[in-house]
């Protein structure tokens, strides 16, 4: 195991220990898919408490961990804020990308670990951040590239996000991870294998490095650098024993 992974494990164990000893809820920073996989695959005996994860909305990828003491006697909320970023004048605004929003926030000197998902909307973007940096961002983030913007808080309970997706169909010899990915992405099998073996593919948040991993209906697949798809299931079987499958490719 790499040094960074060991350090993450130690940090998570320490947060769990503090929760257990003090009887309070403790929180991590935002974790990416690989870090969440490390958490989910840790032996339960190493943690002192149970935990829950949340990223601000149901479909979130980057999530914060809350470690919960056994005798939890109070309601808790994750220390995060949703910030809505909008151009002051939409008519003259540039077409900003996810990278533009993230880069502008990080150029303020903030750490990536304090920033959750960024959802692009028709009129701007919603970014989830740790509560401790929300005021700083609201005060100092005034421009992204050449576009003057405003930043306002939004209640987490008011965030309703339904991702756009494209429905895809294709035939495969079996419902293996690599063959299903080939329906969503026009890449060679060797290229897709490289993604899988390079630890860039997650199924339901769990790192999968086996090309032949068998998928189940409803599985959510995240490929770092390519995006996310949902395997919707088998539609029919051909006379030659191939399967017609359906996917949702999120865009």
């Amino acid at each position: 195991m790499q040094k960074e992974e060991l350090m993450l494990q130690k940090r998570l164990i320490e947060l769990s220990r503090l929760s257990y000893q003090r009887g309070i809820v403790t929180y991590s920073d935002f974790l990416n898919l690989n870090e969440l996989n490390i958490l989910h695959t840790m032996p339960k005996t190493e943690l002192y408490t149970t935990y829950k994860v949340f990223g601000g909305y149901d479909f979130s990828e980057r999530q914060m961990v809350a470690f919960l003491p056994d005798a939890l006697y109070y309601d808790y909320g994750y220390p995060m804020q949703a910030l809505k970023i909008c151009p002051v004048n939409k008519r003259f605004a540039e077409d900003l990308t996810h990278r533009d929003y993230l880069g502008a926030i990080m150029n303020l000197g903030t750490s990536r670990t304090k920033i959750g998902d960024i959802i692009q909307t028709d009129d701007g973007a919603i970014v989830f951040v740790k509560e401790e940096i929300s005021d700083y961002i609201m005060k100092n983030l005034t421009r992204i590239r050449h576009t003057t913007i405003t930043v306002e808080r939004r209640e987490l309970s008011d965030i309703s996000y339904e991702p756009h997706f494209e429905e895809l169909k294709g035939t495969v010899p079996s419902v293996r991870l690599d063959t299903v990915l080939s329906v969503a992405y026009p890449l060679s099998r060797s290229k897709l294998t490289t993604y899988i073996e390079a630890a860039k593919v997650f199924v339901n948040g769990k790192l999968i490095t086996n090309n032949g991993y068998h998928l189940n209906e409803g599985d959510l697949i995240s490929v770092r650098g390519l995006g996310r798809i949902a395997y919707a299931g088998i539609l029919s079987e051909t006379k030659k024993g191939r399967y017609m499958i359906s996917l949702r490719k999120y865009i």
Side-chain angles (χ1 to χ4, degrees):
M1 185 175 290
Q2 296 182 356
K3 181 180 178 181
E4 293 80 6
E5 295 178 353
L6 288 172
M7 290 178 61
L8 174 63
Q9 282 196 351
K10 289 180 179 179
R11 186 161 71 249
L12 296 174
I13 291 171
E14 177 62 14
L15 285 170
S16 181
R17 185 185 66 81
L18 287 174
S19 174
Y20 174 76
Q21 291 182 341
R22 299 180 183 179
I24 60 173
V25 181
T26 58
Y27 303 92
S28 72
D29 287 340
F30 285 101
L31 304 185
N32 61 32
L33 282 172
N34 189 54
E35 292 166 334
L36 288 167
N37 179 69
I38 291 171
L39 169 68
H40 295 323
T41 55
M42 286 177 61
K44 302 304 180 186
T45 54
E46 293 190 11
L47 297 174
Y48 294 79
T49 62
T50 59
Y51 65 84
K52 290 187 177 180
V53 297
F54 185 57
Y57 66 109
D58 290 341
F59 202 69
S60 60
E61 186 168 290
R62 295 178 63 83
Q63 297 183 325
M64 190 180 292
V65 187
F67 292 98
L68 311 175
D70 291 337
L72 182 61
Y73 57 89
Y74 61 92
D75 293 330
Y76 69 95
Y78 289 79
M80 69 175 74
Q81 292 278 344
L83 302 180
K84 181 64 182 289
I85 302 174
C86 293
V88 171
N89 191 328
K90 188 175 181 180
R91 181 180 177 184
F92 299 106
E94 299 162 278
D95 291 328
L96 300 175
T97 66
H98 182 281
R99 180 175 293 184
D100 292 328
Y101 290 107
L102 178 60
I105 296 172
M106 295 199 58
N107 283 340
L108 297 177
T110 58
S111 168
R112 185 67 178 100
T113 62
K114 308 296 182 182
I115 307 167
D117 283 6
I118 298 173
I119 301 173
Q120 289 190 249
T121 62
D122 292 337
D123 59 347
I126 296 172
V127 56
F128 298 89
V129 301
K130 288 205 75 173
E131 198 170 50
E132 64 198 59
I133 67 169
S134 60
D135 286 342
Y136 178 75
I137 292 175
M138 292 180 65
K139 180 179 179 181
N140 293 280
L141 186 63
T142 58
R143 182 180 294 271
I144 300 178
R145 287 172 56 187
H146 302 293
T147 300
T148 303
I149 55 93
T150 60
V151 185
E152 299 178 350
R153 281 193 181 88
R154 291 288 188 271
E155 294 293 332
L156 291 179
S157 57
D158 293 337
I159 304 298
S160 178
Y161 174 65
E162 290 290 337
H164 300 293
F165 61 85
E166 175 186 6
E167 289 197 10
L168 301 174
K169 297 177 183 178
T171 59
V172 294
S174 61
V175 189
R176 291 163 44 109
L177 179 59
D178 54 359
T179 58
V180 171
L181 288 178
S182 69
V183 175
Y185 305 110
L187 300 172
S188 66
R189 187 165 180 175
S190 61
K191 184 69 174 179
L192 291 172
T193 296
T194 299
Y195 272 94
I196 297 170
E197 294 179 347
K200 293 184 177 181
V201 180
F202 298 80
V203 179
N204 300 326
K206 181 180 180 181
L207 177 65
I208 302 296
T209 56
N210 176 15
N211 294 345
Y213 180 84
H214 183 82
L215 294 170
N216 295 306
E217 185 174 334
D219 280 350
L220 181 64
I221 307 163
S222 300
V223 186
R224 293 174 65 180
L226 293 181
R228 286 187 279 186
I229 62 174
Y231 170 58
I234 297 172
L235 298 175
S236 61
E237 184 176 353
T238 69
K239 293 180 179 180
K240 294 184 178 181
R242 293 174 64 87
Y243 300 97
M244 172 67 75
I245 64 170
S246 175
L247 306 175
R248 287 182 175 182
K249 183 179 180 180
Y250 294 97
I251 54 179

